[in-house]
Amino acid sequence: MTALRKNSLPDVIRNEVARLKGAGFHLLPLGGEDGKVPLSRAWSSANLTLGRVFAPMHRAGSQAYGVRLDSMAVIDCDTDDSALVAQMEARFGESPVHVKTPRGKHLYYRAAGTTPNLRGEGFPVDIKTGVRSYVVGPLSVRPDGGFYTPVRGVLGKDALPPLRGATSPSPAQIQPGNRHLELVKEAMRMVEHVDTVEELQANLAGIRDDWCVDPATFPDSELSGIAGWAWKCRLENRIYRGRDSAFPMQRLALDALRGKDNAADAIALLVLLVDQHGHHHGKRFPLDFKAMRAAGLMNLSIPRLRAARRTLEDAGLLQLVGKHRAGSRKQTFALTRPELVTGRSVNVKSMSAVRKDVVPGEQGGGAILTYDARYRTNKSKGRT
């Protein structure tokens, strides 16, 4: 006989879900580490029954549910700033229903057309709307203890006004042949403003359905690939946001320059070149030191810049790829990536074959990497 799992859903949440369902709202079960991931694959294509909302929540031990925004719009403020909320209501109209979130506040409205991109205007605010969008419902509790507290009005009882200032929906404009590229652009614009890759894919699906011509021929599998790629870019810090963005510097490159007589100049030149050209691997570019100084990019003298360039070439970080041709072409260079050279670190011994029946170079060559205990950072305590 199998014991039934104890129901972890408090009555107050169960009653609220049942009330909203009875009032005609489309709801979905949520879970996952952050309590915001849909637990049903069919949440965007069907009006789930109450049982299909409660059952996954019961199995996952979840106390969170979502409200699908079929005919609603929610202004999602990332911060609970009264001045920001007042600014949103002055622009879009006063909302009778406010829900305080763990980070900010949800303001509920009726959908009224196409909404503006507030992130693009510099506000920490999203406007969510449509059958492919949802927000965490009132009284939900996330696994980290985050609570969604109603602070004004009651959803389902107070009449929602239309979102003021929304424009009428425009016809689909993205033609076949351009859809993939445009959805990639949209993914990169919104990837830092979603909490999961699943939420990103759901948002892309809404854009596909609303903006693309013949959306049925653009499969979910392709959307999944775009969302996964954009999410990987976010994790690897490869999202370009103009000058407000980061770029990686390889430690191997810095290791190759340390100890050089003009290491500081060479590192400064390398950082500038990676900033300007490192985002396109193999990109060719000229090095016009006079123009660089005139533009304020570097303030080193031209002899020091030339010496720094030679140091980068000697270290294998910069390569001459196009020779000078008088009157028609300047020298062109390309950044190169340093290779790991074994045996350089003082606390690592060279790898040596220990099995005669294994050919070196195949499956590690039977070699071992040995740590040299003579080099300890704190000998007195035996720490490595």
Side-chain angles (χ1 to χ4, degrees), residues 19-94:
R19 183 186 69 80
L20 290 174
K21 185 66 180 175
F25 289 87
H26 292 198
L27 308 178
L28 59 144
L30 300 178
E33 293 184 0
D34 61 358
K36 300 172 69 174
V37 179
L39 298 178
S40 172
R41 293 184 178 181
W43 68 268
S44 62
S45 60
N47 186 5
L48 301 181
T49 64
L50 199 56
R52 292 180 65 188
V53 175
F54 282 140
M57 294 174 66
H58 173 68
R59 289 193 296 267
S62 171
Q63 297 183 19
Y65 69 97
V67 178
R68 205 171 78 182
L69 304 175
D70 295 61
S71 58
M72 291 189 295
V74 169
I75 295 179
D76 182 5
C77 300
D78 278 352
T79 60
D80 188 13
D81 181 354
S82 58
L84 177 63
V85 172
Q87 187 175 5
M88 293 297 105
E89 290 196 303
R91 178 172 174 179
F92 298 103
E94 186 175 350

Side-chain angles (χ1 to χ4, degrees), residues 150-349:
V151 292
R152 179 196 292 179
V154 178
L155 185 62
K157 291 185 178 180
D158 293 282
L160 299 179
L163 186 71
R164 193 173 66 199
T167 59
S168 299
S170 57
Q173 296 294 322
I174 305 178
Q175 301 293 326
N178 296 328
R179 297 179 300 182
H180 185 93
L181 177 60
E182 292 301 321
L183 286 169
V184 167
K185 292 178 181 178
E186 291 296 329
M188 295 303 286
R189 290 188 188 106
M190 69 176 68
V191 67
E192 293 185 295
H193 308 304
V194 297
D195 296 311
T196 65
V197 67
E198 290 81 10
E199 183 181 355
L200 176 61
Q201 184 176 343
N203 291 346
L204 291 177
I207 294 174
R208 174 199 61 187
D209 296 343
D210 295 339
W211 296 0
C212 291
V213 173
D214 198 9
T217 61
F218 197 96
D220 287 343
S221 58
E222 192 167 352
L223 284 181
S224 176
I226 294 173
W229 174 81
W231 192 259
K232 183 178 179 182
C233 288
R234 170 178 169 171
L235 296 179
E236 296 177 354
N237 195 26
R238 292 191 290 114
I239 299 174
Y240 181 68
R241 299 183 300 275
R243 300 312 299 168
D244 183 23
S245 59
F247 60 88
M249 287 293 299
Q250 289 185 291
R251 290 185 173 87
L252 288 175
L254 301 180
D255 291 344
L257 295 174
R258 290 192 178 99
K260 305 292 185 182
D261 292 338
N262 63 338
D265 291 352
I267 291 174
L269 179 58
L270 177 63
V271 170
L272 175 66
L273 296 179
V274 173
D275 170 34
Q276 298 291 318
H277 309 292
H279 51 288
H280 287 158
H281 181 58
K283 178 184 177 182
R284 300 185 176 202
F285 51 86
L287 278 180
D288 189 335
F289 293 135
K290 290 183 180 180
M292 291 164 60
R293 285 171 51 84
L297 297 177
M298 298 288 286
N299 59 2
L300 299 177
S301 67
I302 290 179
R304 288 176 64 182
L305 287 170
R306 287 174 177 164
R309 183 199 69 198
R310 288 192 293 270
T311 299
L312 294 181
E313 290 181 279
D314 293 342
L317 302 173
L318 186 68
Q319 181 180 7
L320 177 66
V321 293
K323 294 183 178 180
H324 169 75
R325 182 180 297 170
S328 62
R329 186 173 64 188
K330 297 181 179 181
Q331 283 184 325
T332 54
F333 298 83
L335 291 167
T336 55
R337 295 178 179 176
E339 295 181 0
L340 177 63
V341 179
T342 58
R344 283 190 176 181
S345 299
V346 295
N347 63 335
V348 177
K349 291 183 178 180

